[in-house]
Amino acid sequence: MGFNIYYYESKIECCCCKKKFTTYKVRPNRYKVVDQDTDFMPIYEGLNPILYEVSVCPHCGYAYHKSMTRTFGPFMQLIKEIYIKELQKPMNICEVRSLEDAIASFKLAYLVSRASMEEPLIMANFAIKIAWLYRLKKDSQSEMRYLQAAREFYSKSFASNKEGEEKLQYLYAELSLRIGDIEEAKKGFSQLISGRDVSAKYQKIARNRWEDYKYNNAIDHSKLILRAKGEIEDV
Ligand SMILES: [Zn+2]
């Protein structure tokens, strides 16, 4: 193909079937992080590189993400027995992807990782990214399902340092809030806000988020009361 200004072709040798293929990746100058959501979903200007993070082999269907660690030897044997065998026709999603394609690619990565029994943190990060893609697709029911799965995996995860642990604690509280488990959210945020060993950074992030939630909730609540009294119109 000719030169594409948005994507470059990454050359991959499949670590499962050993065949070669190329798959699109977003050129680094075609996106910029301009903001992030409260669960750390990056908000991009331009293209969204997350859609291209998982490489899916069009020959055998193996899905690879750079965070995976069990991609060799006995693990690959498990992947072949549990995942590849069950797979129908491998998808070809090596060029421009829709949100649907990207969701499918992460679901395949999730299945591969489940077969090779990757650490919960890796599973959690796949689940949350699937939830983000559903958020972009405005499918909130599916988003909630994957946020819930992500929360369960994060609750079983361990980080390698203190900041990582605090991030896990924050995400657990944040995802609890998003799925409507307010009790768990409150418990999680207050542990971060008042914990003596918690870094200033996470104390602040947690305090801002929880106060923001309470403030918005109070506004919603007073609107409900006024609406019930007939003092404001339904919108
Ligand atoms: Zn392959």
Side-chain angles (χ1 to χ4, degrees), residues 14 16-17 57 59-60 62:
C14 176
C16 183
C17 71
C57 173
H59 307 293
C60 74
Y62 175 76

Side-chain angles (χ1 to χ4, degrees), residues 40-63:
F40 304 127
M41 177 178 95
I43 312 283
Y44 294 103
E45 201 177 79
L47 298 172
N48 187 338
I50 294 177
L51 272 65
Y52 298 88
E53 279 185 12
V54 178
S55 306
V56 180
C57 173
H59 307 293
C60 74
Y62 175 76

Side-chain angles (χ1 to χ4, degrees), residues 17 33 37 69 72 99 129 166-167 169 195 205 223:
C17 71
V33 182
D37 218 335
T69 59
F72 58 91
L99 280 172
K129 281 179 177 169
E166 290 177 351
K167 186 174 181 181
Q169 257 183 293
I205 299 178
K223 271 190 199 154

Side-chain angles (χ1 to χ4, degrees), residues 151 169 172-178 180-191 210 213:
R151 186 180 75 151
Q169 257 183 293
Y172 184 81
E174 166 65 16
L175 298 188
S176 297
L177 193 57
R178 283 180 177 263
D181 186 349
I182 309 303
E183 277 309 304
E184 280 297 299
K186 187 178 176 181
K187 219 161 68 186
F189 283 125
S190 42
Q191 275 168 6
W210 184 240
Y213 163 76

